[in-house]
Every structure is written in C-alpha cells, then in structure tokens.
Amino acid sequence: MPGRLIALLAVAAGMTVANLYYAQPLLSSLREVFHTSTAAAGWLITLTQIGYVIGMLFLVPLGDRLEKRGLITALLTVTTVALVTAGLAPDFPVLLIASLISGATSVVAQVLVPFAASLAPDHARGRIVGRVMSGLLTGILLSRTLSSLVSDIAGWRVVYLGSAVLMAVLAVTLRSALPRHAPTTTIPYLRVLRSTVQLIRTHPALLRRGLYQAAMFGAFSAFWTTVSYLLTGPGFHYSPIGVGVFALVGAAGAAVAPLAGRWADRKLTRPMTGAAFVLAALAFGIAGFGGHHIVLIALAAVMLDMAVQATLILGQHTIYQLDPHARARLNSAFIATFFLGGALGSQLGSLTYHSGGWTAVTALGATLPVLALLYWLTEHRQENRNRTQDAA
C-alpha cells in the first residue's frame, strides 16, 4: 500500500470518528444553554454512541455488499447534513436527534479500517491496521481539545458546522483518491444482516473480543464523559478550553497503536491483552487518588487510553483473521458490541457521578477491566475444550 494512502485513511478515520466526541468537553456548557440536568446532558453522548451502534449493525455490513468508495461518499453526505442540523439546533431534542443520525453515519471510520485490512499484505496487516487505527484513536482524543478551543473562541455551534465542512471536503477527497473496491459478496442485504449474526455464532473469538472491548470501552467512556464535570467543578475550576487542553494528555496514549499492531503480528495477542486489562484497572486506582491532583488524573488518562487502544488493535487483528471475505461484517459485529458497552459506560458514568461523585466513577471504571480480566482467564480453558470437541 502507498504510504500516502495509509496516511489518508488514518486521517479520514480520525476525522469521522471525532464526530462522536466533540460534545464531551461541552456537556457543562450545553447543560446551561439548554437548561438540562447532568444526567440529561449525558444522553447526548449516549445517543450518539447508540447511533454508532445502529450504523455498525445496519450500515457497515454493506461494506461487503456494495462498492466501498460509493458507500463512503453516501455516508459522508448524510453526516454533513446531520452536523449542519446539529449546529443550527433550536433546542436540545433536535440536537439529540441530529447527533443520533451523525453518529450512525460516522461509521465511515469502520468501513475504512477493514478496507485497509483488505488492501494490506498478510505479513504487514497488523502494522497497517495499527497505523490507520492510530489515526482513528488520535481523532477520538484530539476531538475534545478541538471542540473546546473552537467553542471557546466561536461558540459550540461552530464546532458542529465546522465539522460539517470537514466532512464535505473529506467526501470529495476520498471519492477521488480511493481505488474502486468490488463487493466481496452478492447475497441480498437481509441475508447480509443475518450472516453477521451467524458469524458471532460461528466464531467464538468474535464474541469474546467484543465483550473484552465492551468492558474496556465502557470504562473509557465513563472516564471521559465525567472528567469534564470534575475539571470544571469546585476542585479545579477549569474552563472548557482547559478541559480541551487536558485531553491532549490522553492523546499520548495513541502512540501505543502501532506497537499493538506489531505485537499482534508477533503472536503476542493474548498476553498483551491481559496486561492491558491490568493497566486499565491500575489507571482507575490512580484516578481515584487523584481527585484533587491533576498530575495523577493525567497519568491515569494516558494509562487508560493506552490500555483501551491496545486491546482494540489486538482485537481487530484477531477478528480479521477469521474470514477474509467477511471483514466488514466481522468488524460490524465487533464494534457494535463494544460500542454498546461504551454507551452504557457513558450513561452509567453520568449517573454515578451525579449520585456518588468522582470516587464512585473510578470504582465503576476499575470494576469493568477487572471483569474482563476474569473472563480472559477462561480463554485457555475454552480453547482446550474446543480442541477436544474437534478431536472427538
């Protein structure tokens, strides 16, 4: 693959997935603008992620059924319209609906990742997917900083309208730069959807990796949804732009993505997955002690982001090996599973912070990777059971 194409795919993945996170550092401001409660404001993040799950289930499988370049252009067009609607929203319900739609069509990022995997040679697939995912994950982390800076200078509406312009430009750029990529199946759409469900039954590793990442992404979402409340509260008195600058610290965790791709190519998926669960739990332990110490919270953010990104890359590398002709559908099931965990983590994080404060959020966040670690301990037992059944 040409290096320029890999770089374009990475940038495009980061730009589109950023649409899911622009609102996170703005929740305190939006709560005041629209006169909503903390829990109600949290629904903005939750519904955006639910929209992403809907897109993963019903739109991403089309990546195996339709020509990918045309599908990407169509999705980015709808995303542009939804973001314009969000930027002009007269009330909170309209903003919620527009965010739901933009979340659903921002799954372009997850059409691009299996696209890169299909173009990459077998010996370098983990490394190339890791590079594209590093762009995606950097977009997740830098989106908070960008939205904070733009909203502080020009207002929150410009965040959405500016992103709409970026999506329009991206649609034109990808349309001209991407190679045509023929569908890998001709089965009807409804059968494509049914086959996605069947893949979960056929490949136990797909469900296992999805549940691993659901726990990790739930913890990730709980942290980043509520940390803006902590930093703008009485302990720190940060402005929205201060919250955005803090998010830059977490972006350092994106550096682990290419490393995780190399670990996967070297067959280190299982041990590094377990290590990532331990790292995430430790991150929340540090965050719990850092309620009044910004350095500890920043350290926890970097550790958590590194852990979540490592398990994501390792998980995607695993599922892409299961069926080369169904990578879009495999990715659909995988991402939809863990984004449900993310949506649940966002809402539980908001409710937990409202009822128990930051300490309660860190307890919730630490519990999720610990549960994943306990499930990880059963992995060898399941593999041995499967080998025994195959031998019989």
Side-chain angles (χ1 to χ4, degrees):
M1 288 180 66
R4 287 179 297 178
L5 181 57
I6 297 173
L8 175 61
L9 291 173
V11 171
M15 287 173 61
T16 52
V17 81
N19 293 322
L20 306 179
Y21 300 96
Y22 285 135
Q24 280 188 346
L26 307 180
L27 289 182
S28 296
S29 299
L30 292 172
R31 182 180 57 185
E32 296 175 2
V33 169
F34 292 107
H35 307 291
T36 63
S37 66
T38 298
W43 274 105
L44 183 61
I45 307 301
T46 301
L47 282 180
T48 304
Q49 292 181 339
I50 288 174
Y52 201 70
V53 171
I54 292 171
M56 290 303 307
L57 292 174
F58 296 101
L59 297 177
V60 171
L62 289 172
D64 289 334
R65 180 67 179 79
L66 302 177
E67 196 279 314
K68 289 182 176 63
R69 190 175 63 176
L71 174 63
I72 289 167
T73 302
L75 291 175
L76 286 174
T77 300
V78 177
T79 305
T80 301
V81 174
L83 289 169
V84 170
T85 303
L88 301 176
D91 53 40
F92 197 60
V94 172
L95 180 59
L96 288 176
I97 294 170
S99 297
L100 179 71
I101 295 171
S102 68
T105 53
S106 290
V107 292
V108 164
Q110 298 304 333
V111 177
L112 293 171
V113 174
F115 194 179
S118 297
L119 296 175
D122 290 341
H123 70 277
R125 182 166 292 115
R127 178 172 52 84
I128 290 175
V129 169
R131 288 181 180 177
V132 176
M133 286 301 298
S134 68
L136 184 148
L137 297 167
T138 300
I140 291 176
L141 297 167
L142 294 185
S143 61
R144 304 180 183 94
T145 303
L146 180 62
S147 67
S148 297
L149 292 171
V150 172
S151 65
D152 191 67
I153 295 170
W156 68 270
R157 294 184 185 275
V158 178
V159 173
Y160 289 99
L161 296 175
S163 182
V165 173
L166 291 177
M167 293 302 101
V169 172
L170 187 60
V172 174
T173 303
L174 291 176
R175 181 77 182 179
S176 63
L178 292 180
R180 290 186 60 84
H181 196 272
T184 57
T185 183
T186 58
I187 62 177
Y189 176 63
L190 291 179
R191 285 185 59 192
V192 169
L193 297 182
R194 286 198 296 269
S195 69
T196 303
V197 177
Q198 291 169 355
L199 287 170
I200 299 176
R201 298 173 181 170
T202 305
H203 302 291
L206 174 59
L207 178 60
R208 177 177 285 273
R209 296 302 314 196
L211 292 176
Y212 284 167
Q213 202 61 29
M216 293 292 278
F217 203 60
F220 177 91
S221 297
F223 180 92
W224 284 107
T225 298
T226 56
V227 75
S228 63
Y229 298 138
L230 175 70
L231 296 180
T232 57
F236 295 96
H237 299 288
Y238 276 31
S239 64
I241 194 170
V243 176
V245 172
F246 173 82
L248 285 173
V249 175
V256 79
L259 291 175
R262 290 186 174 90
W263 295 335
D265 288 336
R266 295 173 183 174
K267 314 298 182 184
L268 297 174
T269 297
R270 188 172 188 276
M272 298 312 297
T273 297
F277 294 150
V278 173
L279 183 64
L282 289 174
F284 276 101
I286 292 173
F289 288 107
H292 298 286
H293 304 280
I294 192 63
V295 173
L296 292 181
I297 297 176
L299 176 61
V302 173
M303 292 171 62
L304 177 62
D305 289 354
M306 290 179 64
V308 173
Q309 292 171 31
T311 56
L312 177 57
I313 302 299
L314 295 169
Q316 285 188 306
H317 185 273
T318 298
I319 66 168
Y320 288 155
Q321 310 305 311
L322 300 176
D323 187 345
H325 300 292
R327 286 193 173 117
R329 283 167 285 167
L330 289 165
N331 203 47
S332 169
F334 175 64
I335 303 293
T337 300
F338 84 68
F339 256 85
L340 282 174
L344 184 61
S346 293
Q347 194 59 25
L348 285 178
S350 294
L351 294 172
T352 302
Y353 187 87
H354 181 70
S355 61
W358 181 247
T359 300
V361 170
T362 58
L364 169 68
T367 300
L368 293 174
V370 168
L371 290 175
L373 181 63
L374 293 175
Y375 185 37
W376 173 84
L377 292 174
T378 70
E379 191 170 312
H380 266 328
R381 190 185 312 160
Q382 182 64 44
E383 290 175 355
N384 292 335
R385 186 181 300 119
N386 291 340
R387 280 196 289 267
T388 300
Q389 291 174 349
D390 291 340

